[in-house]
Amino acid sequence: VHLLPKEFRLLEFFIRHPNRVLSSEELLNSVWESDSFAHNDTVRGHVNRLRKKLDSEGNSSIIDTVHGV
């Protein structure tokens, strides 16, 4: 799977924190540079692209979204 650098860093962060619910803010603070102008929509976009690259048809996603947490 070919991942862009930010997608790789995001995946690495997920792997290092398994079975945890991570907020968009936590991902922004941990994966993006502090001088970045990224926001929650940026995180959602990267997570969606990562899902498309990693998930296989007919199987549930390896990245779950938990709303309201």
Side-chain angles (χ1 to χ4, degrees):
V1 175
H2 180 266
L3 298 176
L4 297 173
K6 191 67 70 187
E7 294 167 341
F8 182 83
R9 288 181 62 199
L10 187 58
L11 178 59
E12 179 183 31
F13 192 79
F14 286 144
I15 290 169
R16 290 182 186 271
H17 301 88
N19 303 315
R20 275 195 52 212
V21 176
L22 303 165
S23 69
S24 294
E25 291 79 20
E26 186 174 359
L27 293 172
L28 279 171
N29 292 331
S30 300
V31 177
W32 274 259
E33 294 76 23
S34 61
D35 62 345
S36 171
F37 293 105
H39 47 81
N40 291 342
D41 289 337
T42 305
V43 173
R44 278 191 288 274
H46 278 78
V47 169
N48 285 335
R49 280 193 298 283
L50 189 57
R51 273 193 187 111
K52 287 179 184 178
K53 290 183 177 184
L54 298 177
D55 292 349
S56 57
E57 278 190 49
N59 294 321
S60 60
S61 180
I62 63 170
I63 303 170
D64 292 324
T65 297
V66 179
H67 296 282
V69 177

Short mmCIF file of all heavy atoms in Angstrom, two decimals:
data_model
loop_
_atom_site.label_atom_id
_atom_site.label_comp_id
_atom_site.label_asym_id
_atom_site.label_seq_id
_atom_site.Cartn_x
_atom_site.Cartn_y
_atom_site.Cartn_z
N VAL A 1 0.85 -1.17 0.00
CA VAL A 1 0.00 0.00 0.00
C VAL A 1 0.90 1.23 0.00
O VAL A 1 1.80 1.35 0.83
CB VAL A 1 -0.92 0.02 1.25
CG1 VAL A 1 -1.72 1.30 1.32
CG2 VAL A 1 -1.83 -1.18 1.26
N HIS A 2 0.65 2.13 -0.93
CA HIS A 2 1.42 3.37 -0.99
C HIS A 2 0.72 4.43 -0.14
O HIS A 2 -0.44 4.77 -0.38
CB HIS A 2 1.53 3.85 -2.43
CG HIS A 2 2.31 5.11 -2.55
ND1 HIS A 2 1.72 6.34 -2.55
CD2 HIS A 2 3.64 5.32 -2.63
CE1 HIS A 2 2.67 7.27 -2.63
NE2 HIS A 2 3.84 6.67 -2.69
N LEU A 3 1.43 4.92 0.87
CA LEU A 3 0.88 5.95 1.76
C LEU A 3 1.70 7.23 1.63
O LEU A 3 2.92 7.17 1.52
CB LEU A 3 0.91 5.49 3.22
CG LEU A 3 0.11 4.26 3.58
CD1 LEU A 3 0.34 3.90 5.05
CD2 LEU A 3 -1.36 4.47 3.32
N LEU A 4 1.00 8.34 1.68
CA LEU A 4 1.68 9.62 1.74
C LEU A 4 2.28 9.78 3.15
O LEU A 4 1.83 9.11 4.09
CB LEU A 4 0.69 10.74 1.45
CG LEU A 4 0.09 10.72 0.04
CD1 LEU A 4 -1.00 11.78 -0.07
CD2 LEU A 4 1.16 10.91 -1.01
N PRO A 5 3.27 10.64 3.31
CA PRO A 5 3.92 10.76 4.63
C PRO A 5 2.95 11.03 5.78
O PRO A 5 3.08 10.41 6.85
CB PRO A 5 4.89 11.93 4.44
CG PRO A 5 5.21 11.91 2.98
CD PRO A 5 3.93 11.47 2.31
N LYS A 6 1.99 11.89 5.60
CA LYS A 6 1.04 12.19 6.67
C LYS A 6 0.15 10.99 6.96
O LYS A 6 -0.17 10.70 8.11
CB LYS A 6 0.19 13.41 6.32
CG LYS A 6 -0.62 13.95 7.46
CD LYS A 6 0.24 14.55 8.56
CE LYS A 6 0.88 15.81 8.05
NZ LYS A 6 1.84 16.40 8.94
N GLU A 7 -0.25 10.27 5.93
CA GLU A 7 -1.05 9.06 6.13
C GLU A 7 -0.25 8.02 6.91
O GLU A 7 -0.79 7.36 7.80
CB GLU A 7 -1.47 8.48 4.78
CG GLU A 7 -2.42 9.36 4.01
CD GLU A 7 -2.60 8.95 2.57
OE1 GLU A 7 -1.75 8.21 2.03
OE2 GLU A 7 -3.60 9.38 1.97
N PHE A 8 1.02 7.89 6.61
CA PHE A 8 1.88 6.95 7.33
C PHE A 8 1.99 7.35 8.80
O PHE A 8 1.88 6.50 9.68
CB PHE A 8 3.26 6.87 6.69
CG PHE A 8 4.15 5.88 7.36
CD1 PHE A 8 4.07 4.54 7.03
CD2 PHE A 8 5.05 6.28 8.34
CE1 PHE A 8 4.89 3.60 7.67
CE2 PHE A 8 5.86 5.36 8.98
CZ PHE A 8 5.78 4.02 8.64
N ARG A 9 2.19 8.64 9.06
CA ARG A 9 2.30 9.10 10.45
C ARG A 9 1.00 8.86 11.21
O ARG A 9 1.00 8.49 12.38
CB ARG A 9 2.69 10.57 10.49
CG ARG A 9 4.14 10.79 10.07
CD ARG A 9 4.56 12.22 10.13
NE ARG A 9 4.47 12.72 11.49
CZ ARG A 9 4.42 14.01 11.81
NH1 ARG A 9 4.45 14.93 10.86
NH2 ARG A 9 4.34 14.39 13.06
N LEU A 10 -0.12 9.07 10.54
CA LEU A 10 -1.42 8.83 11.15
C LEU A 10 -1.61 7.35 11.46
O LEU A 10 -2.01 6.97 12.56
CB LEU A 10 -2.52 9.33 10.21
CG LEU A 10 -3.95 9.34 10.70
CD1 LEU A 10 -4.10 10.18 11.96
CD2 LEU A 10 -4.86 9.87 9.60
N LEU A 11 -1.29 6.48 10.51
CA LEU A 11 -1.38 5.05 10.73
C LEU A 11 -0.45 4.61 11.86
O LEU A 11 -0.85 3.83 12.73
CB LEU A 11 -1.03 4.29 9.45
CG LEU A 11 -1.03 2.77 9.55
CD1 LEU A 11 -2.40 2.24 9.98
CD2 LEU A 11 -0.60 2.15 8.22
N GLU A 12 0.75 5.13 11.88
CA GLU A 12 1.70 4.80 12.95
C GLU A 12 1.13 5.21 14.31
O GLU A 12 1.24 4.46 15.29
CB GLU A 12 3.03 5.51 12.71
CG GLU A 12 4.05 5.25 13.77
CD GLU A 12 5.34 6.02 13.55
OE1 GLU A 12 5.29 7.14 13.00
OE2 GLU A 12 6.39 5.50 13.95
N PHE A 13 0.49 6.38 14.38
CA PHE A 13 -0.09 6.82 15.64
C PHE A 13 -1.21 5.89 16.08
O PHE A 13 -1.32 5.53 17.25
CB PHE A 13 -0.60 8.27 15.51
CG PHE A 13 -0.94 8.88 16.83
CD1 PHE A 13 0.06 9.37 17.66
CD2 PHE A 13 -2.25 8.97 17.25
CE1 PHE A 13 -0.25 9.94 18.89
CE2 PHE A 13 -2.57 9.54 18.48
CZ PHE A 13 -1.56 10.02 19.30
N PHE A 14 -2.05 5.46 15.12
CA PHE A 14 -3.12 4.51 15.45
C PHE A 14 -2.54 3.19 15.97
O PHE A 14 -3.05 2.61 16.92
CB PHE A 14 -3.99 4.23 14.22
CG PHE A 14 -4.93 5.34 13.85
CD1 PHE A 14 -5.20 5.61 12.51
CD2 PHE A 14 -5.57 6.10 14.80
CE1 PHE A 14 -6.09 6.61 12.15
CE2 PHE A 14 -6.45 7.11 14.46
CZ PHE A 14 -6.71 7.36 13.12
N ILE A 15 -1.48 2.72 15.34
CA ILE A 15 -0.86 1.46 15.75
C ILE A 15 -0.25 1.57 17.14
O ILE A 15 -0.32 0.64 17.94
CB ILE A 15 0.19 1.02 14.70
CG1 ILE A 15 -0.51 0.61 13.41
CG2 ILE A 15 1.06 -0.11 15.24
CD1 ILE A 15 0.42 0.41 12.24
N ARG A 16 0.33 2.72 17.44
CA ARG A 16 0.95 2.91 18.75
C ARG A 16 -0.08 3.10 19.87
O ARG A 16 0.26 3.02 21.05
CB ARG A 16 1.90 4.10 18.72
CG ARG A 16 3.14 3.82 17.89
CD ARG A 16 4.08 5.01 17.93
NE ARG A 16 5.19 4.83 17.04
CZ ARG A 16 6.34 4.23 17.38
NH1 ARG A 16 6.51 3.76 18.59
NH2 ARG A 16 7.32 4.12 16.51
N HIS A 17 -1.33 3.38 19.50
CA HIS A 17 -2.40 3.59 20.48
C HIS A 17 -3.61 2.72 20.13
O HIS A 17 -4.69 3.23 19.82
CB HIS A 17 -2.79 5.08 20.51
CG HIS A 17 -1.66 5.98 20.85
ND1 HIS A 17 -0.80 6.50 19.91
CD2 HIS A 17 -1.21 6.41 22.04
CE1 HIS A 17 0.11 7.23 20.51
NE2 HIS A 17 -0.11 7.18 21.80
N PRO A 18 -3.44 1.40 20.20
CA PRO A 18 -4.53 0.50 19.80
C PRO A 18 -5.70 0.54 20.79
O PRO A 18 -5.52 0.82 21.97
CB PRO A 18 -3.87 -0.88 19.80
CG PRO A 18 -2.78 -0.76 20.81
CD PRO A 18 -2.28 0.67 20.70
N ASN A 19 -6.87 0.30 20.25
CA ASN A 19 -8.09 0.17 21.06
C ASN A 19 -8.38 1.40 21.91
O ASN A 19 -8.93 1.30 23.00
CB ASN A 19 -8.02 -1.09 21.95
CG ASN A 19 -7.81 -2.33 21.13
OD1 ASN A 19 -8.47 -2.52 20.12
ND2 ASN A 19 -6.88 -3.16 21.55
N ARG A 20 -7.97 2.56 21.43
CA ARG A 20 -8.27 3.82 22.11
C ARG A 20 -9.10 4.70 21.19
O ARG A 20 -8.92 4.68 19.99
CB ARG A 20 -6.96 4.58 22.41
CG ARG A 20 -6.31 4.15 23.68
CD ARG A 20 -5.26 5.12 24.17
NE ARG A 20 -5.73 6.48 24.26
CZ ARG A 20 -4.95 7.54 24.05
NH1 ARG A 20 -3.69 7.39 23.75
NH2 ARG A 20 -5.42 8.75 24.16
N VAL A 21 -10.00 5.45 21.79
CA VAL A 21 -10.73 6.46 21.03
C VAL A 21 -9.88 7.72 21.05
O VAL A 21 -9.53 8.22 22.12
CB VAL A 21 -12.12 6.72 21.65
CG1 VAL A 21 -12.83 7.83 20.90
CG2 VAL A 21 -12.95 5.44 21.64
N LEU A 22 -9.53 8.21 19.86
CA LEU A 22 -8.67 9.39 19.73
C LEU A 22 -9.48 10.52 19.13
O LEU A 22 -10.11 10.36 18.09
CB LEU A 22 -7.48 9.05 18.83
CG LEU A 22 -6.63 7.86 19.29
CD1 LEU A 22 -5.73 7.39 18.16
CD2 LEU A 22 -5.82 8.26 20.49
N SER A 23 -9.44 11.67 19.76
CA SER A 23 -10.18 12.82 19.25
C SER A 23 -9.41 13.46 18.10
O SER A 23 -8.20 13.27 17.93
CB SER A 23 -10.38 13.86 20.36
OG SER A 23 -9.13 14.44 20.71
N SER A 24 -10.13 14.23 17.29
CA SER A 24 -9.49 14.97 16.20
C SER A 24 -8.42 15.90 16.74
O SER A 24 -7.35 16.04 16.15
CB SER A 24 -10.53 15.80 15.43
OG SER A 24 -11.43 14.95 14.78
N GLU A 25 -8.69 16.52 17.88
CA GLU A 25 -7.73 17.44 18.48
C GLU A 25 -6.46 16.71 18.89
O GLU A 25 -5.35 17.20 18.69
CB GLU A 25 -8.34 18.15 19.70
CG GLU A 25 -9.44 19.14 19.35
CD GLU A 25 -10.78 18.47 19.08
OE1 GLU A 25 -11.00 17.31 19.50
OE2 GLU A 25 -11.60 19.10 18.40
N GLU A 26 -6.62 15.51 19.46
CA GLU A 26 -5.46 14.72 19.86
C GLU A 26 -4.63 14.32 18.64
O GLU A 26 -3.40 14.38 18.65
CB GLU A 26 -5.89 13.47 20.63
CG GLU A 26 -4.74 12.68 21.19
CD GLU A 26 -5.20 11.52 22.07
OE1 GLU A 26 -6.41 11.33 22.26
OE2 GLU A 26 -4.31 10.82 22.57
N LEU A 27 -5.31 13.94 17.56
CA LEU A 27 -4.60 13.59 16.33
C LEU A 27 -3.90 14.81 15.74
O LEU A 27 -2.75 14.72 15.30
CB LEU A 27 -5.57 12.99 15.31
CG LEU A 27 -6.14 11.62 15.70
CD1 LEU A 27 -7.23 11.21 14.73
CD2 LEU A 27 -5.05 10.58 15.78
N LEU A 28 -4.57 15.96 15.75
CA LEU A 28 -3.94 17.19 15.25
C LEU A 28 -2.68 17.53 16.04
O LEU A 28 -1.65 17.87 15.47
CB LEU A 28 -4.92 18.37 15.33
CG LEU A 28 -5.94 18.49 14.20
CD1 LEU A 28 -6.96 19.56 14.54
CD2 LEU A 28 -5.27 18.78 12.89
N ASN A 29 -2.77 17.42 17.36
CA ASN A 29 -1.63 17.77 18.21
C ASN A 29 -0.49 16.78 18.11
O ASN A 29 0.67 17.14 18.33
CB ASN A 29 -2.08 17.89 19.67
CG ASN A 29 -2.98 19.07 19.90
OD1 ASN A 29 -2.90 20.07 19.21
ND2 ASN A 29 -3.87 18.94 20.87
N SER A 30 -0.79 15.53 17.77
CA SER A 30 0.23 14.49 17.77
C SER A 30 0.82 14.19 16.40
O SER A 30 1.97 13.79 16.29
CB SER A 30 -0.35 13.20 18.34
OG SER A 30 -0.80 13.41 19.65
N VAL A 31 0.03 14.36 15.35
CA VAL A 31 0.46 13.96 14.01
C VAL A 31 0.84 15.17 13.15
O VAL A 31 1.79 15.10 12.38
CB VAL A 31 -0.64 13.13 13.32
CG1 VAL A 31 -0.25 12.78 11.91
CG2 VAL A 31 -0.93 11.87 14.13
N TRP A 32 0.15 16.28 13.31
CA TRP A 32 0.42 17.46 12.51
C TRP A 32 1.42 18.37 13.22
O TRP A 32 1.50 18.38 14.45
CB TRP A 32 -0.87 18.23 12.22
CG TRP A 32 -1.60 17.70 11.02
CD1 TRP A 32 -1.60 18.24 9.78
CD2 TRP A 32 -2.43 16.53 10.93
NE1 TRP A 32 -2.37 17.49 8.94
CE2 TRP A 32 -2.89 16.43 9.62
CE3 TRP A 32 -2.81 15.56 11.85
CZ2 TRP A 32 -3.71 15.41 9.19
CZ3 TRP A 32 -3.63 14.53 11.42
CH2 TRP A 32 -4.07 14.46 10.10
N GLU A 33 2.16 19.13 12.47
CA GLU A 33 3.12 20.07 13.04
C GLU A 33 2.37 21.18 13.76
O GLU A 33 1.27 21.56 13.39
CB GLU A 33 4.00 20.67 11.93
CG GLU A 33 4.90 19.67 11.26
CD GLU A 33 4.17 18.75 10.27
OE1 GLU A 33 3.09 19.13 9.79
OE2 GLU A 33 4.66 17.65 10.03
N SER A 34 3.00 21.74 14.78
CA SER A 34 2.35 22.76 15.60
C SER A 34 2.07 24.04 14.82
O SER A 34 1.15 24.78 15.14
CB SER A 34 3.20 23.09 16.83
OG SER A 34 4.45 23.58 16.44
N ASP A 35 2.83 24.31 13.77
CA ASP A 35 2.61 25.52 12.98
C ASP A 35 1.66 25.28 11.81
O ASP A 35 1.46 26.14 10.96
CB ASP A 35 3.94 26.08 12.47
CG ASP A 35 4.67 25.11 11.56
OD1 ASP A 35 4.31 23.91 11.53
OD2 ASP A 35 5.61 25.55 10.88
N SER A 36 1.03 24.11 11.78
CA SER A 36 0.11 23.76 10.71
C SER A 36 -1.22 24.47 10.91
O SER A 36 -1.64 24.75 12.02
CB SER A 36 -0.11 22.24 10.71
OG SER A 36 -1.13 21.90 9.83
N PHE A 37 -1.89 24.75 9.79
CA PHE A 37 -3.21 25.37 9.85
C PHE A 37 -4.31 24.32 9.67
O PHE A 37 -5.42 24.62 9.28
CB PHE A 37 -3.34 26.44 8.76
CG PHE A 37 -2.43 27.61 9.01
CD1 PHE A 37 -1.28 27.79 8.24
CD2 PHE A 37 -2.71 28.53 10.00
CE1 PHE A 37 -0.44 28.85 8.47
CE2 PHE A 37 -1.88 29.61 10.24
CZ PHE A 37 -0.74 29.77 9.47
N ALA A 38 -3.99 23.07 9.96
CA ALA A 38 -4.94 21.98 9.82
C ALA A 38 -6.04 22.09 10.87
O ALA A 38 -5.86 22.68 11.93
CB ALA A 38 -4.22 20.64 9.96
N HIS A 39 -7.21 21.51 10.55
CA HIS A 39 -8.32 21.50 11.49
C HIS A 39 -9.05 20.17 11.41
O HIS A 39 -8.59 19.25 10.73
CB HIS A 39 -9.27 22.69 11.26
CG HIS A 39 -9.63 22.90 9.83
ND1 HIS A 39 -10.61 22.17 9.21
CD2 HIS A 39 -9.13 23.74 8.90
CE1 HIS A 39 -10.71 22.57 7.95
NE2 HIS A 39 -9.83 23.50 7.74
N ASN A 40 -10.16 20.03 12.09
CA ASN A 40 -10.86 18.76 12.20
C ASN A 40 -11.22 18.16 10.84
O ASN A 40 -11.16 16.94 10.66
CB ASN A 40 -12.13 18.91 13.05
CG ASN A 40 -11.80 19.16 14.50
OD1 ASN A 40 -10.69 18.91 14.95
ND2 ASN A 40 -12.76 19.68 15.23
N ASP A 41 -11.62 18.99 9.87
CA ASP A 41 -11.94 18.48 8.54
C ASP A 41 -10.72 17.86 7.88
O ASP A 41 -10.84 16.89 7.14
CB ASP A 41 -12.50 19.59 7.65
CG ASP A 41 -13.90 20.01 8.07
OD1 ASP A 41 -14.59 19.21 8.73
OD2 ASP A 41 -14.29 21.15 7.75
N THR A 42 -9.56 18.40 8.15
CA THR A 42 -8.32 17.84 7.62
C THR A 42 -8.09 16.44 8.16
O THR A 42 -7.74 15.52 7.41
CB THR A 42 -7.12 18.75 8.00
OG1 THR A 42 -7.38 20.07 7.55
CG2 THR A 42 -5.83 18.24 7.41
N VAL A 43 -8.31 16.27 9.44
CA VAL A 43 -8.15 14.95 10.07
C VAL A 43 -9.13 13.96 9.45
O VAL A 43 -8.75 12.85 9.06
CB VAL A 43 -8.36 15.03 11.60
CG1 VAL A 43 -8.37 13.63 12.22
CG2 VAL A 43 -7.30 15.89 12.24
N ARG A 44 -10.40 14.35 9.34
CA ARG A 44 -11.41 13.46 8.75
C ARG A 44 -11.04 13.06 7.33
O ARG A 44 -11.18 11.88 6.95
CB ARG A 44 -12.79 14.14 8.76
CG ARG A 44 -13.49 14.02 10.09
CD ARG A 44 -14.94 14.45 9.99
NE ARG A 44 -15.09 15.89 9.83
CZ ARG A 44 -15.12 16.76 10.83
NH1 ARG A 44 -15.01 16.33 12.06
NH2 ARG A 44 -15.27 18.04 10.60
N GLY A 45 -10.56 13.99 6.55
CA GLY A 45 -10.16 13.69 5.17
C GLY A 45 -9.02 12.68 5.11
O GLY A 45 -9.05 11.74 4.32
N HIS A 46 -8.02 12.88 5.94
CA HIS A 46 -6.88 11.95 5.96
C HIS A 46 -7.29 10.56 6.45
O HIS A 46 -6.85 9.55 5.91
CB HIS A 46 -5.75 12.51 6.83
CG HIS A 46 -4.90 13.49 6.12
ND1 HIS A 46 -5.29 14.80 5.91
CD2 HIS A 46 -3.68 13.37 5.57
CE1 HIS A 46 -4.33 15.44 5.26
NE2 HIS A 46 -3.33 14.58 5.04
N VAL A 47 -8.14 10.51 7.47
CA VAL A 47 -8.61 9.21 7.97
C VAL A 47 -9.42 8.50 6.89
O VAL A 47 -9.25 7.30 6.67
CB VAL A 47 -9.43 9.38 9.27
CG1 VAL A 47 -10.13 8.08 9.66
CG2 VAL A 47 -8.53 9.85 10.40
N ASN A 48 -10.26 9.22 6.18
CA ASN A 48 -11.06 8.61 5.10
C ASN A 48 -10.17 8.07 3.99
O ASN A 48 -10.40 6.96 3.50
CB ASN A 48 -12.07 9.61 4.54
CG ASN A 48 -13.24 9.83 5.47
OD1 ASN A 48 -13.56 8.98 6.28
ND2 ASN A 48 -13.87 10.99 5.36
N ARG A 49 -9.15 8.81 3.60
CA ARG A 49 -8.24 8.33 2.56
C ARG A 49 -7.46 7.11 3.04
O ARG A 49 -7.23 6.17 2.29
CB ARG A 49 -7.28 9.44 2.12
CG ARG A 49 -7.93 10.41 1.14
CD ARG A 49 -6.93 11.31 0.47
NE ARG A 49 -6.20 12.18 1.39
CZ ARG A 49 -6.70 13.28 1.94
NH1 ARG A 49 -7.94 13.65 1.68
NH2 ARG A 49 -5.97 14.02 2.75
N LEU A 50 -7.07 7.13 4.31
CA LEU A 50 -6.34 6.00 4.88
C LEU A 50 -7.23 4.75 4.89
O LEU A 50 -6.79 3.65 4.54
CB LEU A 50 -5.88 6.35 6.29
CG LEU A 50 -4.93 5.39 6.98
CD1 LEU A 50 -3.67 5.16 6.16
CD2 LEU A 50 -4.57 5.92 8.36
N ARG A 51 -8.49 4.92 5.26
CA ARG A 51 -9.44 3.80 5.24
C ARG A 51 -9.55 3.20 3.83
O ARG A 51 -9.52 1.98 3.66
CB ARG A 51 -10.83 4.27 5.65
CG ARG A 51 -11.08 4.27 7.10
CD ARG A 51 -12.58 4.45 7.34
NE ARG A 51 -12.81 4.62 8.74
CZ ARG A 51 -13.22 5.75 9.31
NH1 ARG A 51 -13.45 6.82 8.58
NH2 ARG A 51 -13.40 5.82 10.59
N LYS A 52 -9.69 4.06 2.83
CA LYS A 52 -9.84 3.59 1.46
C LYS A 52 -8.62 2.80 1.01
O LYS A 52 -8.74 1.82 0.26
CB LYS A 52 -10.07 4.77 0.51
CG LYS A 52 -11.45 5.37 0.64
CD LYS A 52 -11.64 6.54 -0.28
CE LYS A 52 -12.99 7.18 -0.06
NZ LYS A 52 -13.19 8.36 -0.90
N LYS A 53 -7.46 3.18 1.46
CA LYS A 53 -6.23 2.49 1.06
C LYS A 53 -6.04 1.17 1.81
O LYS A 53 -5.47 0.23 1.28
CB LYS A 53 -5.02 3.39 1.29
CG LYS A 53 -4.97 4.56 0.32
CD LYS A 53 -3.73 5.39 0.53
CE LYS A 53 -3.67 6.52 -0.49
NZ LYS A 53 -2.41 7.29 -0.38
N LEU A 54 -6.51 1.09 3.05
CA LEU A 54 -6.26 -0.08 3.89
C LEU A 54 -7.38 -1.11 3.90
O LEU A 54 -7.12 -2.29 4.07
CB LEU A 54 -5.98 0.36 5.33
CG LEU A 54 -4.77 1.24 5.56
CD1 LEU A 54 -4.68 1.64 7.02
CD2 LEU A 54 -3.50 0.55 5.10
N ASP A 55 -8.61 -0.66 3.75
CA ASP A 55 -9.75 -1.56 3.87
C ASP A 55 -9.92 -2.39 2.60
O ASP A 55 -9.61 -1.96 1.50
CB ASP A 55 -11.03 -0.79 4.14
CG ASP A 55 -11.04 -0.15 5.52
OD1 ASP A 55 -10.16 -0.47 6.34
OD2 ASP A 55 -11.94 0.68 5.77
N SER A 56 -10.43 -3.60 2.79
CA SER A 56 -10.74 -4.46 1.65
C SER A 56 -12.25 -4.64 1.57
O SER A 56 -12.95 -4.64 2.59
CB SER A 56 -10.04 -5.80 1.79
OG SER A 56 -10.40 -6.44 3.00
N GLU A 57 -12.74 -4.81 0.35
CA GLU A 57 -14.18 -4.93 0.15
C GLU A 57 -14.74 -6.13 0.89
O GLU A 57 -14.12 -7.18 0.96
CB GLU A 57 -14.49 -5.07 -1.34
CG GLU A 57 -14.52 -3.75 -2.06
CD GLU A 57 -15.06 -3.91 -3.47
OE1 GLU A 57 -16.12 -4.54 -3.64
OE2 GLU A 57 -14.40 -3.38 -4.37
N GLY A 58 -15.92 -5.96 1.44
CA GLY A 58 -16.60 -7.04 2.13
C GLY A 58 -16.20 -7.21 3.58
O GLY A 58 -16.80 -8.00 4.30
N ASN A 59 -15.18 -6.49 4.03
CA ASN A 59 -14.75 -6.57 5.42
C ASN A 59 -15.01 -5.24 6.11
O ASN A 59 -15.03 -4.19 5.47
CB ASN A 59 -13.25 -6.90 5.51
CG ASN A 59 -12.94 -8.27 4.99
OD1 ASN A 59 -13.69 -9.21 5.22
ND2 ASN A 59 -11.85 -8.40 4.26
N SER A 60 -15.18 -5.29 7.42
CA SER A 60 -15.38 -4.04 8.15
C SER A 60 -14.07 -3.25 8.19
O SER A 60 -12.98 -3.82 8.08
CB SER A 60 -15.88 -4.33 9.57
OG SER A 60 -14.95 -5.12 10.26
N SER A 61 -14.19 -1.97 8.38
CA SER A 61 -13.03 -1.09 8.40
C SER A 61 -12.15 -1.38 9.60
O SER A 61 -12.64 -1.71 10.68
CB SER A 61 -13.48 0.38 8.44
OG SER A 61 -12.35 1.23 8.48
N ILE A 62 -10.85 -1.23 9.41
CA ILE A 62 -9.94 -1.43 10.55
C ILE A 62 -9.86 -0.18 11.41
O ILE A 62 -9.32 -0.22 12.50
CB ILE A 62 -8.54 -1.86 10.07
CG1 ILE A 62 -7.88 -0.79 9.23
CG2 ILE A 62 -8.60 -3.18 9.33
CD1 ILE A 62 -6.42 -1.05 8.95
N ILE A 63 -10.41 0.93 10.91
CA ILE A 63 -10.45 2.18 11.66
C ILE A 63 -11.91 2.51 11.91
O ILE A 63 -12.67 2.72 10.97
CB ILE A 63 -9.77 3.34 10.90
CG1 ILE A 63 -8.32 2.99 10.59
CG2 ILE A 63 -9.85 4.63 11.72
CD1 ILE A 63 -7.65 3.96 9.64
N ASP A 64 -12.30 2.55 13.17
CA ASP A 64 -13.70 2.86 13.52
C ASP A 64 -13.82 4.31 13.96
O ASP A 64 -12.93 4.85 14.62
CB ASP A 64 -14.18 1.98 14.68
CG ASP A 64 -14.29 0.52 14.29
OD1 ASP A 64 -14.68 0.25 13.13
OD2 ASP A 64 -14.01 -0.35 15.12
N THR A 65 -14.95 4.90 13.60
CA THR A 65 -15.27 6.24 14.09
C THR A 65 -16.27 6.09 15.22
O THR A 65 -17.28 5.39 15.07
CB THR A 65 -15.89 7.10 12.96
OG1 THR A 65 -14.89 7.26 11.93
CG2 THR A 65 -16.29 8.47 13.47
N VAL A 66 -15.99 6.74 16.34
CA VAL A 66 -16.89 6.72 17.49
C VAL A 66 -17.40 8.15 17.67
O VAL A 66 -16.65 9.03 18.08
CB VAL A 66 -16.17 6.22 18.76
CG1 VAL A 66 -17.11 6.23 19.94
CG2 VAL A 66 -15.56 4.85 18.53
N HIS A 67 -18.64 8.37 17.32
CA HIS A 67 -19.23 9.71 17.39
C HIS A 67 -19.58 10.08 18.83
O HIS A 67 -19.99 9.23 19.61
CB HIS A 67 -20.48 9.80 16.52
CG HIS A 67 -20.19 9.61 15.06
ND1 HIS A 67 -19.64 10.60 14.28
CD2 HIS A 67 -20.34 8.54 14.27
CE1 HIS A 67 -19.49 10.13 13.07
NE2 HIS A 67 -19.90 8.88 13.03
N GLY A 68 -19.36 11.33 19.17
CA GLY A 68 -19.78 11.84 20.47
C GLY A 68 -18.82 11.55 21.62
O GLY A 68 -19.17 11.75 22.76
N VAL A 69 -17.64 11.04 21.30
CA VAL A 69 -16.68 10.74 22.37
C VAL A 69 -15.53 11.71 22.27
O VAL A 69 -15.03 12.00 21.22
CB VAL A 69 -16.17 9.29 22.26
CG1 VAL A 69 -15.12 9.02 23.33
CG2 VAL A 69 -17.32 8.32 22.36
#
